[in-house]
């Protein structure tokens, strides 16, 4: 499914845009005390006093021109960065120029590297690409700058800071999303009102889930427009490894008592997971577009009441379900929503649904094209402070519809109106996104902030104990969360297993899809065995051995 681009690439590039470049002053937005406005051209601004956040705007505008390696809709990103871009430019004299593309980010990064056409800063670069780009001399060492200008960076990362340095003591990237926030990421979902309509039969196993979804589709075979309803679907943000957690596998691997790891392709559990999806397919219960759905297309199907169940990220059924319905359907009721459940296959010790890598998701790097690295690191350092994390996470403060208010000197509060809207189910996420919450997630973490030990960059995760539905979800899934940090592996450019890993993952993605859409049991077994054979010929057994060795090394270090 992951193919190298061809001549279509030229057309695909055209969807990229630089988002949020307007700096026109919105008079309804309060400027921080003593702040200076800067022009779009990046011209020098007069000297200014420290603003509300204690930041003294530089005399010359700091321009941070970055590509973010997350596949996203450029128009939506432009909309959601407009207000926060203007606020930061006016109050900090920092011009954040964010570029995204609605194309595969790995392929985009490969093109950038090959062509030499890339910006000063790249956000959301994975460890493999950091290694690849560094091997070609394209990554700027941040360690000296952090030593001089990064006290908040070092404080935020704490004892883990040294773990981000390479063998030469270089800091090639600042992590994004590090830390542990003990909330669920992934689960099975079910539409609550239709489930209650059936009498809410117990659901504990994949078989229970299958039977309930089949009955729900039988009761609701089409939506109001006469379109076919499916039990399950998929979208391009779902990962196969997460599905395997229902069968007791951790991040796609089976672990024995001696910590030896076996890829799901070589396990009975993995075959059963693939067979489970194939069962839905053969009975006409599976969306036939599941392997080609982009998220926005999938969301339309979901919102149009064509999908009754979901195995994926917890927020997706909320975003595409009741958060849309409550504003568009005149007869909306509170139980017209999806709830999250923890399926566990018979024989599985636990359902391992939400792996947590406390090192973070990926990295923000400065490339060899950077012109003013000192100024950039200074602003990154502010972003890493607790108040910087709040600003970047919760968006523009002090407006009537802001999620929070900030006075000065660390004094802040939640906007009670917005908080109550969140708790009572009337919170307008789409409007809130336009205030820029996490629109510029460049360097901050996702764990609890050190100044109060309870708030976090995710605005809607700050009230979980007070939100009935969030509390239900987290109570249902608390045993499915696990720390997966020790299994983290960076497939560096000079690692002999890097190519093997890429080839195997491509093979597995294609082979899983082929097995799932098999028309008979015989075809399924044949296709799955073909996948297993091809993956092992590519070197999967050697890859399993390598992962096991690295995992055991990390476990030993963590237990010292």
């Amino acid at each position: 499914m992951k193919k190298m681009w061809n001549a279509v690439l030229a057309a695909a590039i055209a969807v990229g845009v630089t988002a949020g470049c307007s700096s026109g002053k919105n008079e309804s937005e309060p400027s921080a005390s003593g702040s200076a406005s800067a022009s779009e051209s990046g011209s020098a601004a007069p000297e200014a006093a420290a603003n509300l956040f204690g930041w003294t705007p530089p005399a010359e505008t700091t321009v941070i021109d970055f590509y973010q390696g997350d596949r996203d809709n450029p128009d939506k990103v432009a909309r959601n960065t407009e207000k926060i871009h203007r606020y930061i430019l006016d109050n900090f004299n920092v011009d954040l120029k964010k570029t995204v593309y609605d194309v595969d980010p790995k392929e985009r990064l490969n093109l950038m590297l090959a062509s030499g056409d890339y910006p000063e800063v790249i956000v959301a670069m994975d460890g493999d690409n950091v290694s690849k780009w560094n091997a070609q001399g394209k990554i700027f060492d941040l360690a000296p700058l952090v030593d001089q200008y990064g006290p908040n960076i070092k404080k935020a990362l704490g004892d883990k800071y040294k773990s981000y340095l390479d063998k030469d003591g270089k800091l090639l990237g600042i992590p994004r999303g590090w830390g542990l926030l003990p909330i669920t990421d992934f689960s099975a979902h079910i539409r609550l009102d239709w489930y209650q309509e059936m009498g809410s039969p117990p659901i504990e196993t994949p078989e229970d889930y299958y039977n309930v979804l089949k009955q729900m589709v039988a009761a609701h075979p089409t939506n109001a427009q006469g379109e076919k309803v499916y039990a399950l679907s998929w979208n391009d943000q779902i990962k196969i490894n997460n599905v395997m957690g229902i069968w007791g596998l951790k991040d796609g691997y089976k672990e024995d008592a001696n910590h030896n790891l076996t890829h799901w392709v070589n396990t009975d559990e993995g075959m059963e997971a693939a067979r489970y999806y194939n069962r839905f397919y053969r009975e006409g219960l599976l969306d036939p577009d599941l392997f080609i759905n982009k998220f926005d297309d999938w969301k339309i199907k979901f919102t149009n009441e064509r999908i009754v169940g979901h195995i994926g990220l917890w927020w997706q059924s909320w975003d595409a379900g009741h958060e849309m319905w409550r504003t568009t359907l005149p007869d909306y009721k509170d139980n017209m929503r999806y709830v999250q459940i923890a399926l566990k296959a018979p024989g599985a010790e636990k359902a391992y649904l939400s792996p947590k890598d406390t090192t973070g998701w990926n990295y923000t790097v400065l490339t060899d094209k950077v012109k003013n690295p000192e100024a950039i690191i200074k602003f990154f350092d502010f972003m890493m402070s607790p108040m910087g994390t709040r600003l970047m996470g919760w968006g523009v403060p002090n407006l009537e519809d802001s999620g929070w208010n900030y006075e000065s000197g660390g004094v802040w509060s939640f906007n009670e109106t917005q908080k109550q809207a969140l708790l009572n189910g009337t919170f307008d996420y789409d409007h809130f996104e336009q205030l820029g919450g996490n629109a510029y997630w460049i360097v901050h973490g996702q764990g609890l902030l050190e100044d109060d030990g309870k708030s976090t960059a995710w605005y809607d995760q700050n009230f979980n104990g007070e939100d009935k539905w969030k509390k239900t979800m987290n109570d249902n899934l608390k045993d499915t969360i696990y720390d997966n940090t020790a299994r983290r592996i960076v497939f560096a450019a000079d690692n002999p297993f890097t190519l093997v890993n890429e080839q195997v993952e491509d093979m597995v993605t294609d082979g899983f899809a082929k097995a799932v859409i098999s028309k008979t049991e015989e075809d399924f077994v044949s296709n799955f065995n073909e996948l297993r054979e091809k993956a092992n010929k590519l070197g999967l057994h050697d890859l399993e051995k390598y992962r096991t060795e690295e995992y055991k090394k990390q476990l030993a270090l963590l237990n010292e």
Side-chain angles (χ1 to χ4, degrees):
M1 293 174 67
K2 296 180 180 177
K3 305 296 183 185
M4 293 296 291
W5 291 347
N6 50 27
V8 179
L9 179 61
I13 294 173
V15 303
V17 299
T18 298
C21 293
S22 170
S23 63
K25 178 65 180 170
N26 183 340
E27 296 301 330
S28 66
E29 296 179 17
S31 292
S33 175
S35 65
S37 295
S39 69
E40 290 185 10
S41 63
S43 60
E47 290 188 10
N51 66 16
L52 283 171
F53 291 88
W55 173 271
T56 302
E60 184 174 340
T61 303
T62 297
V63 178
I64 302 180
D65 184 5
F66 68 97
Y67 162 66
Q68 182 152 326
D70 293 318
R71 186 169 189 165
D72 213 334
N73 181 295
D75 293 333
K76 184 177 181 179
V77 168
R79 183 199 70 171
N80 291 346
T81 53
E82 182 179 355
K83 288 185 178 180
I84 189 69
H85 172 269
R86 185 164 57 247
Y87 184 88
I88 292 171
L89 184 59
D90 287 344
N91 295 298
F92 291 81
N93 202 17
V94 174
D95 187 1
L96 294 170
K97 296 178 177 290
K98 177 177 179 177
T99 300
V100 298
Y101 297 93
D102 192 10
V103 295
D104 185 296
K106 287 191 176 181
E107 300 296 349
R108 181 64 199 179
L109 285 171
N110 286 338
L111 176 66
M112 286 181 170
L113 186 59
S115 67
D117 183 12
Y118 51 86
E120 296 181 74
V121 179
I122 298 178
V123 177
M125 181 181 279
D126 63 25
D128 305 359
N129 269 301
V130 171
S131 174
K132 182 191 299 184
W133 283 57
N134 182 55
Q136 296 194 31
K138 307 299 184 183
I139 303 292
F140 188 91
D141 177 19
L142 303 176
L145 293 176
V146 170
D147 286 343
Q148 188 171 0
Y149 303 114
N152 289 315
I153 295 174
K154 284 194 168 182
K155 183 178 180 181
L157 297 177
D159 294 339
K160 288 187 176 181
Y161 174 73
K162 291 183 179 179
S163 70
Y164 295 104
L165 304 178
D166 72 1
K167 63 182 187 313
D168 299 318
K170 294 181 178 180
L171 181 65
L172 301 177
I174 299 176
R176 299 174 68 243
W178 80 93
L180 176 62
L181 188 63
I183 61 172
T184 186
D185 296 321
F186 192 91
S187 75
H189 309 230
I190 194 163
R191 180 163 169 170
L192 182 60
D193 55 342
W194 290 358
Y195 179 52
Q196 291 174 333
E197 189 180 278
M198 300 170 54
S200 305
I203 300 178
E204 297 179 356
T205 67
E207 183 70 14
D208 296 337
Y209 189 53
Y210 165 81
N211 288 328
V212 168
L213 294 184
K214 185 175 182 178
Q215 291 178 59
M216 291 173 73
V217 171
H220 302 274
T222 60
N223 67 3
Q225 290 75 43
E227 297 172 303
K228 183 173 174 57
V229 171
Y230 298 101
L232 290 175
S233 184
W234 209 323
N235 62 65
D236 58 2
Q237 296 183 9
I238 297 174
K239 297 179 180 179
I240 299 172
N241 285 359
N242 293 121
V243 175
M244 300 299 160
I246 294 171
W247 281 262
L249 307 185
K250 292 182 177 180
D251 199 22
Y253 279 80
K254 185 174 184 177
E255 179 179 352
D256 67 16
N258 296 317
H259 304 303
N260 296 306
L261 302 179
T262 304
H263 192 282
W264 67 262
V265 164
N266 287 322
T267 68
D268 293 338
E269 292 87 349
M271 189 173 192
E272 285 308 305
R275 178 180 277 116
Y276 184 70
Y277 269 89
N278 176 243
R279 183 180 182 186
F280 283 92
Y281 176 79
R282 282 191 276 146
E283 298 197 21
L285 298 171
L286 195 63
D287 175 11
D289 298 327
L290 80 165
F291 292 116
I292 60 174
N293 282 327
K294 289 186 177 181
F295 179 76
D296 288 343
D297 299 325
W298 175 90
K299 182 175 178 178
I300 291 172
K301 289 182 181 178
F302 212 97
T303 302
N304 287 341
E305 302 183 69
R306 298 189 62 194
I307 305 169
V308 299
H310 180 45
I311 300 178
L313 293 162
W314 75 265
W315 58 268
Q316 290 187 341
S317 67
W318 292 39
D319 180 65
H322 70 266
E323 287 168 7
M324 297 293 294
W325 295 334
R326 70 187 177 204
T327 61
T328 58
L329 300 180
D331 58 346
Y332 175 76
K333 296 180 176 60
D334 192 42
N335 69 337
M336 190 178 176
R337 63 168 57 242
Y338 287 76
V339 292
Q340 291 68 41
I341 52 179
L343 302 181
K344 184 177 77 68
E349 178 186 20
K350 291 178 66 175
Y352 295 103
L353 299 179
S354 297
K356 302 288 185 176
D357 181 353
T358 61
T359 58
W361 313 317
N362 41 48
Y363 302 90
T364 290
V365 305
L366 271 58
T367 71
D368 61 333
K369 294 189 178 184
V370 66
K371 301 179 184 66
N372 192 0
E374 294 86 358
I376 292 174
I377 289 299
K378 287 178 182 178
F379 192 66
F380 283 1
D381 189 65
F382 165 74
M383 286 177 154
M384 293 276 268
S385 70
M387 293 314 305
T389 297
R390 289 187 177 94
L391 175 60
M392 297 302 165
W394 304 346
V396 176
N398 301 333
L399 302 178
E400 183 177 356
D401 56 353
S402 293
W404 69 302
N405 299 303
Y406 182 65
E407 298 176 31
S408 64
V411 179
W412 64 273
S413 61
F414 289 117
N415 181 324
E416 193 62 27
T417 300
Q418 294 295 342
K419 174 183 174 181
Q420 290 306 316
L422 190 66
L423 295 177
N424 65 30
T426 61
F427 189 74
D428 188 343
Y429 278 91
D430 188 63
H431 177 74
F432 186 73
E433 284 182 351
Q434 296 177 44
L435 294 171
N438 285 329
Y440 290 131
W441 194 314
I442 296 176
V443 292
H444 58 269
Q446 63 171 322
L448 301 178
L449 299 178
E450 71 264 18
D451 61 347
D452 68 357
K454 57 183 181 181
S455 54
T456 180
W458 303 104
Y459 183 80
D460 62 346
Q461 297 298 328
N462 285 291
F463 320 108
N464 286 344
E466 303 174 66
D467 185 315
K468 176 178 69 172
W469 297 110
K470 289 274 184 68
K471 187 176 187 306
T472 297
M473 175 179 68
N474 288 319
D475 287 348
N476 288 346
L477 294 157
K478 62 183 179 182
D479 293 331
T480 67
I481 302 165
Y482 64 101
D483 190 334
N484 199 46
T485 305
R487 293 200 190 186
R488 176 177 179 269
I489 290 179
V490 175
F491 285 96
D494 58 353
N495 185 333
F497 289 98
T498 295
L499 181 58
V500 175
N501 184 64
E502 291 177 356
Q503 291 175 331
V504 166
E505 289 306 308
D506 286 345
M507 173 65 69
V508 165
T509 300
D510 291 343
F512 178 79
K514 185 178 180 180
V516 166
I517 60 174
S518 300
K519 294 183 178 180
T520 66
E521 171 65 14
E522 292 74 17
D523 286 344
F524 169 79
V525 172
S526 175
N527 288 331
F528 192 90
N529 286 335
E530 179 186 20
L531 162 62
R532 181 178 288 174
E533 182 180 355
K534 287 182 176 179
N536 288 326
K537 282 185 177 179
L538 284 174
L540 179 54
H541 285 311
D542 292 334
L543 184 63
E544 291 169 336
K545 182 179 178 182
Y546 170 70
R547 281 187 176 273
T548 295
E549 291 171 350
E550 294 301 306
Y551 176 44
K552 289 181 178 181
K553 289 177 186 177
Q554 291 299 317
L555 286 176
L557 289 173
L558 291 173
N559 292 326
E560 284 183 353

